[in-house]
Amino acid sequence: MKVMFAAAFALALGAASTASAQRPDRNVEQPIVRTFNWFAYVGGDDIRSACEPGGRNQVRLVYNALWDEQVRAYQVFLQPDGTAGLDIGVLNDQGRGGNLTYLSLGSDGSNVTAPWRMRKSQRLLSVGETREFVGLLQASAAFGPPRDGLRLPDNDFWWTVASCRNGVWGFQAYHYPTDGFANVKFAEKLFAWDNVPIAVNRPRKLEPSELRRDWNAPGTRAGVQQYRWMLVVGTDGLRPR
């Protein structure tokens, strides 16, 4: 299995005080204070564990555009004044290097961007932009509940949304071509705000993932598909691996 060094996406993992929890996050390179992995990042484990009344209101959206080709991550920090801070991270064309089953990050974050370099950007959303975006999330049923049993292989296109709003945890997932992203209303708005100079890898028609062989995956034999990794959605988040 191949796992992303997820904390390259960890745009806000530093411990925050109550006073600073709702401040727009301008510093992407915040200190990393614990080990973290890609599956926990996608599942929003850190968001869920800290989700309580008075805590940080935030939404994490991950767009898996075929793991070998591109991944885009968006972290939205909702503010009491109606604005929001948006952190953007893009990994592109990472190919087949970096076969890691787990990446443990030290407190200095020294290996955050190895073996690939993530392109990052930030912006602040106005009250109107934030209101519009939350409306698109609601129209997408992005706060849950997700479809129990939905499978998210690394070699497909999919979105996940992990959120905490006013102490309420939420999770949703969308898979292409299972639902054709028909319920994803927020993607184009995010892509329009995304100023990382790497073109979005948009969904395209492919053979079913189980028919696409990965000859570099451990244990692959002729005619047998071995996933690098597969995420499975439960009733209110990702199922434990």
Side-chain angles (χ1 to χ4, degrees), residues 15 33 51 69 75 78 81 108 119 135 137 141 154 164 195 213 222 231 241:
V33 296
C51 190
E69 297 179 12
Q75 191 99 357
L78 302 171
D81 64 0
D108 63 350
R119 302 291 294 276
L137 291 173
D154 71 290
C164 178
N195 54 2
R213 301 173 191 167
L231 303 180
R241 292 182 55 82

Side-chain angles (χ1 to χ4, degrees), residues 90-112:
V90 179
L91 281 174
N92 193 63
D93 193 25
Q94 50 266 35
R96 302 184 187 278
N99 289 312
L100 303 174
T101 57
Y102 187 86
L103 184 71
S104 177
L105 299 174
S107 60
D108 63 350
S110 57
N111 57 351
V112 166

Side-chain angles (χ1 to χ4, degrees), residues 86-204:
L86 171 62
D87 287 343
I88 304 163
V90 179
L91 281 174
N92 193 63
D93 193 25
Q94 50 266 35
R96 302 184 187 278
N99 289 312
L100 303 174
T101 57
Y102 187 86
L103 184 71
S104 177
L105 299 174
S107 60
D108 63 350
S110 57
N111 57 351
V112 166
T113 58
W116 307 293
R117 293 291 177 182
M118 167 170 253
R119 302 291 294 276
K120 293 169 285 188
S121 182
Q122 293 178 310
R123 63 174 294 161
L124 295 176
L125 305 182
S126 68
V127 172
E129 289 173 328
T130 303
R131 183 185 303 114
E132 179 184 12
F133 184 64
V134 172
L136 292 172
L137 291 173
Q138 292 171 332
S140 306
F143 303 118
R147 181 162 69 83
D148 188 19
L150 183 66
R151 293 157 64 87
L152 306 175
D154 71 290
N155 60 343
D156 269 348
F157 292 90
W158 44 261
W159 281 93
T160 57
V161 184
S163 63
C164 178
R165 297 188 307 152
N166 301 318
V168 178
W169 159 256
F171 190 84
Q172 188 57 277
Y174 315 83
H175 175 258
Y176 182 93
T178 302
D179 54 18
F181 285 174
N183 296 321
V184 179
K185 313 298 184 185
F186 52 80
E188 292 306 316
K189 182 59 63 175
L190 276 179
F191 294 157
W193 288 332
D194 187 337
N195 54 2
V196 174
I198 297 174
V200 174
N201 190 22
R202 294 183 177 274
R204 62 184 186 272

